[in-house]
Amino acid sequence: MTPPDASHNRWSDLDRPPLNATALRRGLLRPEALWASLEVVESTGSTNTDLAERARAGAAAEGTVLVAEEQTAGRGRLERSWTAPPRSGLFFSVYLEPGDIPVERWGWVPLLAGVAAATGLAKSAGVDMSLKWPNDLLVTVEGEERKTGGILGEFAGDGIVVGLGINVSLRSGELPAPTAGSLALAGAVSTDRETLLRAVLRSMEHWYGAWKAADGDAAASGLQAAYAAGCATLDRAVRAELPGGASLVGEAVAIDGDGRLVLSTEDGLQQPVSAGDIVHLRGAAGGLT
């Protein structure tokens, strides 16, 4: 008899067991908690796309969490693709409805997710994490900064869908690019995805609650200071590749109250950047990165 195709066996890679949705719900779904429902699917194109469609159809409540063991059409910022082997990472989206908070402050939600992910993973995986503005998660692998995660936010329905993709157990030969990394390659003390996911979602619940309690004021909630403290982009020379093809070079000196990156340019101007791709030109010690 022909053995079953290992690619269709959910236990084909014993180092990467499937998530236990029942255990995750037991640990995260509580009365008065933010998280209202949690679903784990075997495979989908993009959890962000799926959840955004539900939100637009009025079929998603605030606190909905959608997790995929595999994404076949994962999306990052600027429509970049995000691919990884099944069960090698955390691929999930959440739906939030900030309600009466002024919509101009909603841009802080993806940055909030970055702070939550970085702090949650640092505690649960035992790995130093940092943030590259606006929404990349960085770890150090063999002395080099590597991207191990990304965050994408998009308006949908009456709220915002925030998706996270985090490389957990990817091995060197599985990395999609030389600049990529994973928690395992960074020396994580734990790569148990259920532990990591619970830590990130609990951290996000904490920061979202604080931000909402402050009416979306990032300074009053402590979010602005927390993001700046964990941001590897600050105090470095960077190039901002702006929408439309223009670019701006300067030293990243601050994250302002609107979540924008402030660059000090050679002509002495303080220029805020609200959108764009950031390239780190040198580290704090002057080395190229």
Side-chain angles (χ1 to χ4, degrees), residues 30 54 60 62 90 177 209 233 244 283-284:
R30 309 179 311 278
R54 294 186 194 180
E62 179 173 54
L90 294 174
T233 303

Side-chain angles (χ1 to χ4, degrees), residues 3 59 127 153:
V127 170

Side-chain angles (χ1 to χ4, degrees), residues 108-174:
W108 270 102
V109 175
L111 277 70
L112 181 156
V115 170
T119 54
L121 292 172
K123 292 178 181 178
S124 57
V127 170
D128 288 336
M129 306 287 301
S130 59
L131 298 161
K132 179 184 175 187
W133 187 91
N135 294 316
D136 286 349
L137 296 165
L138 303 180
V139 294
T140 301
V141 178
E142 297 178 351
E144 295 183 352
E145 280 182 344
R146 302 280 190 89
K147 177 179 176 178
T148 196
I151 299 163
L152 178 66
E154 54 187 303
F155 295 114
D158 295 324
I160 182 170
V161 172
V162 183
L164 293 89
I166 301 164
N167 293 339
V168 175
S169 65
L170 267 75
R171 305 153 186 135
S172 295
E174 296 172 322

Side-chain angles (χ1 to χ4, degrees), residues 256-272:
D256 73 9
D258 294 319
R260 300 178 298 180
L261 181 68
V262 180
L263 301 187
S264 177
T265 61
E266 289 185 349
D267 55 14
L269 296 178
Q270 302 281 301
Q271 181 69 48

Side-chain angles (χ1 to χ4, degrees), residues 9-279:
N9 183 347
R10 66 198 297 260
W11 288 99
S12 58
D13 189 338
L14 296 180
D15 290 333
R16 293 171 175 164
L19 293 167
N20 185 328
T22 300
L24 287 168
R25 293 188 192 105
R26 187 184 307 120
L28 292 165
L29 309 186
R30 309 179 311 278
E32 308 303 322
L34 171 62
W35 308 119
S37 67
L38 185 146
E39 179 184 0
V40 178
V41 298
E42 191 68 22
S43 179
T44 190
S46 163
T47 57
N48 250 40
T49 298
D50 293 350
L51 196 50
E53 288 177 353
R54 294 186 194 180
R56 295 185 185 105
E62 179 173 54
T64 298
V65 183
L66 178 62
V67 188
E69 297 282 29
E70 177 186 25
Q71 285 194 131
T72 58
R75 295 178 291 121
R77 290 182 59 252
L78 308 178
E79 294 303 317
R80 295 188 178 114
S81 63
W82 180 281
T83 59
R87 304 190 305 276
S88 66
L90 294 174
F91 321 114
F92 67 99
S93 298
V94 303
Y95 178 63
L96 302 171
E97 291 182 343
D100 294 333
I101 291 176
V103 71
E104 59 268 21
R105 293 181 172 178
W106 289 23
W108 270 102
V109 175
L111 277 70
L112 181 156
V115 170
T119 54
L121 292 172
K123 292 178 181 178
S124 57
V127 170
D128 288 336
M129 306 287 301
S130 59
L131 298 161
K132 179 184 175 187
W133 187 91
N135 294 316
D136 286 349
L137 296 165
L138 303 180
V139 294
T140 301
V141 178
E142 297 178 351
E144 295 183 352
E145 280 182 344
R146 302 280 190 89
K147 177 179 176 178
T148 196
I151 299 163
L152 178 66
E154 54 187 303
F155 295 114
D158 295 324
I160 182 170
V161 172
V162 183
L164 293 89
I166 301 164
N167 293 339
V168 175
S169 65
L170 267 75
R171 305 153 186 135
S172 295
E174 296 172 322
L175 297 174
T179 55
S182 70
L183 297 179
L185 292 173
V189 297
S190 173
T191 56
D192 181 276
R193 293 183 304 140
E194 290 175 23
T195 298
L196 302 178
L197 181 57
R198 284 194 298 267
V200 171
L201 288 174
R202 286 169 178 161
S203 182
M204 192 178 299
E205 181 174 17
H206 163 76
W207 281 107
Y208 184 66
W211 178 75
K212 284 192 72 175
D215 196 32
D217 187 320
S221 64
L223 177 59
Q224 183 179 1
Y227 191 95
C231 184
T233 303
L234 292 180
D235 301 322
R236 300 170 82 150
V238 303
R239 181 175 68 252
E241 297 175 350
L242 307 174
S247 64
L248 181 68
V249 174
E251 182 181 357
V253 295
I255 304 294
D256 73 9
D258 294 319
R260 300 178 298 180
L261 181 68
V262 180
L263 301 187
S264 177
T265 61
E266 289 185 349
D267 55 14
L269 296 178
Q270 302 281 301
Q271 181 69 48
V273 175
S274 59
D277 204 21
I278 300 298
V279 179

